[in-house]
Amino acid sequence: MSQPFQLKAQYPLYLANQPVETTSWLEVTDKFSGKVASRVAQADTQTLDQAIAAAVNAEQAMAALKPYQKQKILQHCVQRFKERSDELAQILVIEGGKPIGSAKAEVLRLISTFQLAADAVTQMDQGVVMPLAVTEAAASYRGMVQRVPVGAVSLISPFNFPLNLTAHKIAPAIVAGCPFVLKPASLTPISAIIIGEVLAETDLPAGAFSIMPCHRDAADIMVTDDRFKLLSFTGSDQVGWDMKARSGRKKVVLELGGNAAVMLEEDANVDKALDRLIAGSFGQAGQVCISVQRILAHEKIYDELKTKFVARAKALKAANPALTDTVVGPMIKEKEAVRLKGWIDAAVNEGASLLTGGEISGVMLEATVLENVHSESDVYQHEAFGPVVILEKYSDFDEGIARINQSRFGLQAGVYTNDLNKMFKAWDNLHVGGVIINDVPTFRVDNMPYGGVKDSGLGREGIHAAVLDMTEERVLVIKQ
């Protein structure tokens, strides 16, 4: 019988491509048991300053990398992530509390994201020829535009997808030719350290990358330092918009989550949609930026949807993420479970009906379904980021669209309908970054331009979109 997987006792950080142990350590807990599972070297202000200086010094060497060199680096990562896939999945289970099925899926997305980046190196245009002879005075001029890297970039990744969302920052930086300093989430830093181990095996120029685990307070320099030319942050809307306000002259990309809604029209097949609705609502304990938080069902199918969805939700049990059949694992920490339990109780006190769930035990929160929730309730207005879903009834398509648009968030929305005109109407009128037809808003493929509007963020992720953000246009004008 094989021994259960265990993390190493400690992991270094990465400073200018090199593993470094510091005098301060960040404890990493097993999110299910609550016990300390490992520790990671912690960066201080001086270490962060050294990492930024190294990145700035590497700007010229990174910009000089040829496409074949970038592709070789990225393909090495793909191969090594495949070889270490079981280890990476187990790390996600321990440090993130992610159910093993979801963990394996995330490792595959890590691999896919780096492969897409390797492909993009040889597929993306590096510039265009411009027709400058648009007036008689400019008749003897020709113009060309090339895209060049912006320089050193600051990357801050979240706890919920510590491999793939980190990949969505690192891989395009390599494609663009930008040295980077990454701060992984302090709750889940080991995944990023493993990526660092693999990057250290490549021919990236000296100083091209640093991975700096630390608490948020110590990392303010990642936001304010003008040596960075771009800040890419994924996390909460309050933190993200505050960062933008303090970021100075650098470009800023924010992916800030939402409270995603899915609308089922009267022609929707409820039985066919149920599996996706359950997975989108409760997978990974709802700790997904595009987790289903609101389900709007047309009045003609509302009762059927309510009966079947609640029955399926009742059958889910919050359980050990290491078990292969677990859907709802632990929340990232007990404080978050207590917060969301408070939102649920407050909604019920304000008149909402609790159809199932609502109880917590430590970090475990039951799959919870509410209806008749007041639109001013915290659980309706804000991002729950937990296994809680609100059911709503509507009477016509325009009303459903308007109800979704009332949210201050606008990341993605789902619409179940077989009417082509309604599909296009939803695409034209929903104030979101992505409209998903006949599936839940939790859908994402890693080459999509992914991001939101309103409080959900600024800019887009996805390899091509991120590379455009990490590069800028430089014009060449030639007089003949």
Side-chain angles (χ1 to χ4, degrees):
M1 182 176 179
S2 61
Q3 294 294 317
F5 177 83
Q6 287 186 319
L7 297 174
K8 295 178 183 177
Q10 60 190 41
Y11 293 83
L13 55 73
Y14 275 82
L15 173 60
N17 305 32
Q18 299 299 315
V20 173
E21 293 187 358
T22 59
T23 57
S24 177
W25 296 89
L26 189 67
E27 290 186 341
V28 180
T29 61
D30 180 315
K31 299 306 181 292
F32 179 66
S33 70
K35 297 178 180 178
V36 175
S38 184
R39 63 178 190 165
V40 173
Q42 186 169 221
D44 58 16
T45 303
Q46 181 180 2
T47 312
L48 284 161
D49 184 74
Q50 292 171 343
I52 299 170
V56 172
N57 288 336
E59 285 179 344
Q60 186 173 350
M62 279 293 286
L65 286 177
K66 303 301 182 186
Y68 78 90
Q69 293 172 308
K70 296 175 183 177
Q71 191 173 60
K72 181 181 177 182
I73 290 164
L74 292 161
Q75 287 177 335
H76 174 84
C77 293
V78 169
Q79 183 58 39
R80 293 291 285 131
F81 294 150
K82 287 179 179 178
E83 293 168 359
R84 301 182 69 171
S85 59
D86 289 342
E87 172 194 1
L88 288 165
Q90 292 295 335
I91 288 171
L92 291 175
V93 172
I94 295 171
E95 73 166 351
K98 184 164 294 206
I100 185 62
S102 297
K104 290 179 178 180
E106 183 174 347
V107 174
L108 291 177
R109 288 187 62 192
L110 164 74
I111 294 166
S112 173
T113 300
F114 269 81
Q115 183 61 59
L116 287 166
D119 296 340
V121 170
T122 57
Q123 293 173 359
M124 290 188 71
D125 291 335
Q126 292 184 322
V128 296
V129 176
M130 291 187 66
L132 291 186
V134 295
T135 66
E136 185 177 352
S140 61
Y141 291 86
R142 300 184 69 178
M144 290 173 278
V145 179
Q146 66 168 323
R147 299 202 68 88
V148 298
V150 296
V153 296
S154 171
L155 311 176
I156 303 177
S157 57
F159 75 81
N160 59 329
F161 286 87
L163 283 176
N164 194 46
L165 293 188
T166 299
H168 271 288
K169 300 187 184 302
I170 290 176
I174 296 172
V175 175
C178 293
F180 63 88
V181 179
L182 171 83
K183 179 204 169 302
S186 58
L187 293 167
T188 56
I190 297 174
S191 298
I193 295 298
I194 302 302
I195 294 177
E197 288 183 5
V198 172
L199 291 174
E201 299 168 355
T202 71
D203 294 327
L204 279 168
F209 79 92
S210 295
I211 297 177
M212 301 273 108
C214 60
H215 292 292
R216 184 188 304 165
D217 293 345
D220 199 57
I221 192 173
M222 299 277 291
V223 177
T224 60
D225 198 300
D226 281 336
R227 288 175 291 179
F228 285 124
K229 304 307 186 294
L230 175 141
L231 165 66
S232 176
F233 170 79
T234 302
S236 74
D237 60 305
Q238 299 97 327
V239 173
W241 292 115
D242 174 69
M243 285 182 173
K244 182 177 183 297
R246 297 184 296 108
S247 62
R249 297 189 297 269
K250 64 180 69 66
K251 297 170 72 174
V252 177
V253 178
L254 303 174
E255 198 283 278
L256 305 178
N259 57 2
V262 58
M263 184 168 73
L264 289 89
E265 269 289 273
E266 59 184 296
D267 62 342
N269 185 320
V270 172
D271 289 328
K272 198 171 180 179
L274 270 176
D275 283 348
R276 293 294 291 157
L277 291 172
I278 290 293
S281 301
F282 303 117
Q284 298 181 201
Q287 297 172 120
V288 182
C289 297
I290 40 179
S291 177
V292 174
Q293 190 167 331
R294 300 166 57 201
I295 298 176
L296 290 77
H298 191 278
E299 59 186 7
K300 291 185 178 179
I301 63 169
Y302 181 82
D303 289 339
E304 178 190 4
L305 182 281
K306 173 182 170 181
T307 299
K308 293 178 177 179
F309 184 80
V310 173
R312 289 284 299 273
K314 283 182 177 178
L316 295 175
K317 303 299 179 186
N320 187 337
L323 302 176
T324 56
D325 59 350
T326 295
V327 174
V328 183
M331 293 190 66
I332 193 65
K333 53 185 175 180
E334 188 171 353
K335 178 182 176 182
E336 292 302 311
V338 171
R339 169 191 59 81
L340 193 47
K341 166 66 172 169
W343 286 10
I344 294 165
D345 292 345
V348 171
N349 290 336
E350 293 162 0
S353 300
L354 179 63
L355 303 181
T356 189
E359 296 301 321
I360 62 171
S361 175
V363 292
M364 311 300 284
L365 174 62
E366 293 178 332
T368 302
V369 184
L370 299 164
E371 70 172 347
N372 301 319
V373 176
H374 195 282
S375 62
E376 297 300 316
S377 295
D378 283 338
V379 75
Y380 194 98
Q381 284 282 317
H382 306 306
E383 182 177 33
F385 221 63
V388 177
V389 173
I390 298 166
L391 300 185
E392 304 178 55
K393 183 190 298 185
Y394 70 95
S395 58
D396 69 76
F397 190 76
D398 288 343
E399 177 195 355
I401 295 290
R403 298 258 292 273
I404 293 175
N405 283 340
Q406 285 174 355
S407 173
R408 66 185 179 89
F409 294 105
L411 190 47
Q412 293 196 156
V415 180
Y416 279 83
T417 180
N418 295 311
D419 187 321
L420 184 61
N421 290 325
K422 288 179 178 177
M423 294 181 195
F424 283 117
K425 191 171 188 178
W427 191 26
D428 289 341
N429 291 282
L430 282 170
H431 302 161
V432 294
V435 177
I436 315 299
I437 300 296
N438 290 327
D439 203 352
V440 291
T442 323
F443 176 85
R444 180 182 180 184
V445 175
D446 293 301
N447 62 341
M448 286 169 51
Y450 171 80
V453 298
K454 301 190 284 188
D455 279 1
S456 286
L458 185 69
R460 294 292 180 269
E461 289 188 342
I463 300 300
H464 283 238
V467 170
L468 291 178
D469 279 329
M470 292 179 181
T471 56
E472 55 196 4
E473 293 179 321
R474 183 178 296 161
V475 179
L476 175 68
V477 176
I478 302 172
K479 185 176 181 180
Q480 294 180 290

